[in-house]
Amino acid sequence: MYDHEKSDPAIVAVKPTNKAGQPAAELVEPRAGAEGNVSQQSTGRAQYRGTVSQALARIRQAARQRKKEKFTALFHHVSIDHLAEAFSELKENAAAGVDGLTCRDYEQHLERNLEDLHARVHRGAYRALPSRRVYIPKPDGRQRPIAVAALEDKIVQRATAAVLSAIYEEDFLGFSYGFRPGRSTHDAMDALMVGITSTKVNWILDADIRSFFDTVSQEWLIRFVEHRVGDRRIIRLIQKWLKAGVLEDGIVTVSDKGTGQGSVISPLLANLYLHYVFDLWAERWRRREAAGNMIIVRYADDLIVGFEHETDARRFLDEMRKRLQEFALSLHSEKTRLIEFGRFAVENRKRRGLGKPETFTFLGFTFICGKTRRGKFQIKRKSRRDRMQAKLQAIKQEATEHASADSPAGKMVAAGRHRLLQLPRGADKQFDTDRVPIPRHQSLAAHATAAEPERLDDLGADQAVGRRLAPETANPSSVASESLRR
């Protein structure tokens, strides 16, 4: 019946109603392009972005519809357009790898470089370079090792990670938040807050995996990837990055463990590893073994599990240790704790003659059992003390280094005046002091004006400043009474 409709070969997709049981955006298929050169009008970055997004959308749809299928033809998606998209997502000031090549240098002949890179990848001539080892300070004073990959390795890794993410984002469970598109640390903390306040949670397991990124078994990792990826060329790419090693002090070290924390592909591989090692097992344990309510929130290797019953919590912790050991992982003995926490924790501990409930930290915040003004249970969270102190110390040190001895900031730093009350110059002239209740606090007034002196060499006197900010009256409280009456 469509023989005479040669101008438009596509059948218009039918849009479902707003009351459809599934999201409409996932059901509506895109229209096919009309005949002619209409689809060739978009050029440049928008063109390859559209091509890449359409290809990834098809992969996502197939992964969603066929949960146990292996993808045997993925390598052709690492195309020039996909590599160009990956390069555009890199930061311009990203650290260079062992080759010293930066984004600005590579961009000068971008089209030619990407064509050469694409050709080497597809004919098997691409070789991954060792990552450069750098260390960044941690709040507790230790050093965190980071692997900085070469620029072309970053490009190919990002392009490959986008293809694999289209598959595994349909498989990952809802309580996994680390390094996933559309999810952030705030989403993880909000989910934890809602879970504790809306569910019967009385015990919190704060678990941390010891040196996770450095102890991942590469053998098990490849086996996990092969559950969904049957394209051997993609598998060989991942093996090249894992076997490239790390360059430190002129020596290249190659290990059969770890994913190289800091590389582009590392977060995806870490999530994939824990998806099979922990997520699927924990979800099954919650459905089959738990006697009470149970919540789970995971951000990379940081785990928070809430329980209604203490017996469930202790059984889960014992079995979790055994589960991780089977896959070359272990829990950090000092950072892993089981504490009583929740809406009934205060009353239960008070009944047993114990003190306040313990606190736990997650993603840089300390979670505390508290109450509202009306006496209802409320979770309070504040920045970790050690990280806050380290950040303030770094700011103080930077301010001291940049402040010269002759500048106003340098004079204040040298004098130890770090917490002066800032008021605009001429504040006594802008406000009617007869209508505003101002306490006669001579020292505070002196510091307020000293923060904005009219001359750098004259910080003013206490008595003079006091006369400018507050009127002389025998009964200061009468000023406040008059203001309240008006």
Side-chain angles (χ1 to χ4, degrees), residues 1-6 8-11:
M1 60 182 292
Y2 299 102
D3 293 340
H4 301 288
E5 303 293 336
K6 295 182 178 180
D8 189 0
I11 299 176

Side-chain angles (χ1 to χ4, degrees), residues 59-101:
I59 297 176
R60 282 193 297 268
Q61 183 179 7
R64 181 169 56 253
Q65 295 176 352
R66 301 185 289 272
K67 291 292 186 179
K68 295 184 179 180
E69 180 176 343
K70 279 189 177 183
F71 290 82
T72 58
L74 294 173
F75 196 63
H76 68 279
H77 288 290
V78 186
S79 60
I80 295 180
D81 291 341
H82 209 156
L83 295 175
E85 172 73 9
F87 175 80
S88 66
E89 295 176 355
L90 295 177
K91 296 181 179 180
E92 294 183 358
N93 58 347
V98 295
D99 57 352
L101 189 61

Side-chain angles (χ1 to χ4, degrees), residues 154-166:
K154 293 178 183 178
I155 298 174
V156 182
Q157 286 183 18
R158 185 173 292 274
T160 307
V163 176
L164 296 179
S165 294

Side-chain angles (χ1 to χ4, degrees), residues 8 29 53 59 86 110 175 177 180 191 205 259 267 271 290 342 351-352 385 405 412 423 435 445:
D8 189 0
E29 298 181 359
S53 61
I59 297 176
L110 180 60
F175 56 77
Y177 289 89
R180 294 181 58 186
L205 173 61
T259 61
N271 271 333
R351 191 182 306 113
R352 299 196 304 267
R385 180 183 298 272
M412 287 191 294
L423 289 180
R435 297 174 58 89

Side-chain angles (χ1 to χ4, degrees), residues 209-226:
I209 301 177
R210 182 188 300 272
S211 303
F212 169 70
F213 288 92
D214 298 330
T215 57
V216 168
S217 172
Q218 297 178 4
E219 180 182 358
W220 275 111
L221 177 60
I222 296 300
R223 293 174 63 179
F224 292 150
V225 174
E226 291 174 345

